[in-house]
Amino acid sequence: MNKGTSLNNDTSENMKRSDEPIWWGLFSAGGVCFAVFVPAAILFIALLIPAGIIAPEALSFDRARSMLFSLPGLIFIGVVICLPLFHAAHRIRHGLHDLKLGKEHLNKRVTYGGAALLSALALVGFAVGIL
Amino acid sequence: MMTKKLSIQRYLPEQGNAPYWQDFDVPFDDSTSILDALNYVKEELDGSLTYRWSCRMAICGSCGVMINNTPKLGCNSFLREYEGPVKIAPLAHFPVEKDLIVDMEPFLDHLAAVQPYLIDDSRLIDDNEEGTQTYKQTPAQMEKYKQFAGCINCGLCYSACPQFGLNPEFLGPAALTLAHRYNLDSRDQGKKQRMAQMSREEGVWSCTFVGFCSAVCPKNVDPAAAVNQGKVESAKDMLIGIFKG
Ligand code: SF4
Ligand code: FES
């Protein structure tokens, strides 16, 4: 056995299951959202309505509020804010690893922690809105 | 005959500590492979040049080198494909022993770690019976793993993998592909044992799907696809574990 590799000593520490499937699952789900829902949201909110192609009343304050603070609004927050946040956090974390910046466990806390915090903020906003 | 300039990275540990580059002019035609060129250098110009080779036909997997910074089989790459001088160096991410010879031991350890052979304890019957039964497999069952069974253990994918470069403990493309290949084999019962290796941090989860392994593989094994299918398997395995408690 070569020094530096210790693959065959099956100590429990060595064979520990990675928690990566959780982050990878959120990353994959967020990737789909980034590809499908985020561009659609940008298209409607940031392009079609400002360009006047869709009447601005479509997103008048009252209408926007009633749409956002409903079940579809909650789904909207999930697929346009929360999951894309975890997707981005995952990319940043692995990017930092590739650039040999920071410490793995710290990077994980900061990136996923940030995504969780911002998601929580969006959900708190939602909760305040419907109450 | 035309000639081509070859820049070869030399390292002779008995003569000095640092590797250095040495240039050679080598005659070539359309059929001259990089391995032919190395053989020419050794026979005609400098007998001290050291490198590995055997089959000359992309089967044994021993002639891997970096050609202009890309991992390739020397016998499978031709001087005619290169404009200008050709740089030849030992495979990246492995410790160099001498000239173009690297220490493949870490790679072989990783292969061994995934138990790349049929595991089937139900076949250990009594001594008389052992070895008398043949396995049966339909073409459809074979098709499931055939794509991933063509590996010649050349190690090019490890030289291509930036994650293996960053962390030599990463099991790496070929080992994870082999694990997946046996997991997909209808004759095999060893998936559970291999899954533990695959689900480690240094298993499938160190892969960030760069994909260069599949680009350099001389046998079109597509290790990147195997590793990513392995991620799905590992994630399923975790979910099942959670539900089973
Ligand atoms: S997967 Fe391809 S590149 Fe990697 S060791 Fe096997 S044959 Fe070589
Ligand atoms: S000499 Fe056997 S693969 Fe090149």
Side-chain angles (χ1 to χ4, degrees):
Chain A
M1 173 80 25
N2 210 54
K3 46 181 164 359
T5 55
S6 49
L7 292 165
N8 285 332
N9 356 336
D10 296 359
T11 64
S12 56
E13 189 46 40
N14 264 340
M15 297 300 286
K16 215 175 113 211
R17 181 190 283 281
S18 165
D19 61 3
E20 195 73 6
I22 300 163
W23 312 121
W24 184 70
L26 287 166
F27 166 76
S28 307
V32 173
C33 297
F34 248 128
V36 179
F37 300 113
V38 174
I42 293 173
L43 183 69
F44 278 100
I45 300 170
L47 293 172
L48 294 180
I49 293 177
I53 297 169
I54 289 177
E57 292 76 55
L59 218 60
S60 67
F61 179 73
D62 285 334
R63 205 148 172 248
R65 187 170 60 179
S66 70
M67 280 198 294
L68 185 60
F69 298 122
S70 64
L71 184 65
L74 183 64
I75 295 171
F76 178 86
I77 289 172
V79 300
V80 176
I81 298 176
C82 302
L83 288 174
L85 273 172
F86 279 95
H87 180 90
H90 190 77
R91 278 203 187 281
I92 292 168
R93 175 191 147 212
H94 280 288
L96 290 172
H97 169 84
D98 290 354
L99 296 168
K100 300 190 204 170
L101 295 173
K103 288 261 174 295
E104 177 70 357
H105 60 279
L106 191 72
N107 291 353
K108 246 166 128 168
R109 276 187 198 162
V110 171
T111 51
Y112 299 134
L117 203 71
L118 291 171
S119 299
L121 210 63
L123 293 172
V124 167
F126 176 83
V128 168
I130 49 166
L131 291 177
Chain B
M1 219 179 196
M2 297 172 290
T3 65
K4 173 91 63 192
K5 190 177 287 305
L6 241 55
S7 267
I8 303 178
Q9 186 181 310
R10 303 294 310 270
Y11 173 56
L12 300 163
E14 66 275 18
Q15 283 177 25
N17 287 326
Y20 59 95
W21 291 90
Q22 192 176 0
D23 291 349
F24 300 96
D25 285 310
V26 176
F28 78 105
D29 60 24
D30 272 357
S31 68
T32 309
S33 69
I34 301 288
L35 179 60
D36 293 333
L38 292 175
N39 285 339
Y40 178 87
V41 171
K42 187 165 181 78
E43 278 156 25
E44 307 290 335
L45 305 175
D46 186 341
S48 72
L49 182 68
T50 312
Y51 51 97
R52 286 196 186 105
W53 64 285
S54 176
C55 70
R56 295 176 286 106
M57 50 201 287
I59 292 292
C60 73
S62 59
C63 65
V65 286
M66 303 300 282
I67 306 177
N68 288 353
N69 297 320
T70 302
K72 298 225 180 215
L73 294 180
C75 66
N76 205 10
S77 315
F78 296 85
L79 280 180
R80 62 166 192 267
E81 295 163 4
Y82 295 91
E83 305 249 346
V86 179
K87 265 171 60 189
I88 301 173
L91 281 181
H93 306 155
F94 289 104
V96 182
E97 290 187 328
K98 186 178 185 181
D99 289 344
L100 301 175
I101 302 243
V102 295
D103 178 9
M104 295 294 267
E105 209 59 45
F107 171 67
L108 299 174
D109 284 343
H110 288 210
L111 292 182
V114 301
Q115 300 173 277
Y117 36 79
L118 289 182
I119 297 173
D120 181 3
D121 291 342
S122 70
R123 295 226 144 210
L124 296 174
I125 330 164
D126 58 64
D127 290 342
N128 303 333
E129 293 249 359
E130 204 187 347
T132 58
Q133 303 156 287
T134 48
Y135 280 105
K136 292 208 175 81
Q137 190 165 58
T138 66
Q141 285 173 324
M142 183 172 144
E143 204 49 49
K144 285 193 185 145
Y145 66 84
K146 200 170 155 222
Q147 152 90 51
F148 303 126
C151 175
I152 57 172
N153 304 343
C154 63
L156 298 194
C157 49
Y158 283 66
S159 289
C161 177
Q163 297 303 345
F164 180 69
L166 283 170
N167 177 14
E169 303 262 313
F170 173 34
L171 280 180
L176 291 166
T177 303
L178 262 186
H180 192 54
R181 172 248 175 279
Y182 281 98
N183 287 347
L184 290 174
D185 194 317
S186 60
R187 299 164 295 180
D188 181 80
Q189 311 287 329
K191 184 170 178 183
K192 203 158 162 256
Q193 283 139 270
R194 285 185 210 104
M195 222 55 227
Q197 282 286 356
M198 292 169 74
S199 295
R200 294 188 308 140
E201 198 66 48
E202 283 77 27
V204 290
W205 299 110
S206 283
C207 164
T208 52
F209 206 14
V210 173
F212 196 32
C213 52
S214 291
V216 302
C217 175
K219 291 293 173 185
N220 296 318
V221 171
D222 201 356
V227 176
N228 275 275
Q229 291 172 23
K231 285 182 192 170
V232 176
E233 290 304 315
S234 170
K236 280 203 295 203
D237 189 63
M238 185 189 213
L239 271 181
I240 292 168
I242 289 169
F243 283 121
K244 277 194 182 161

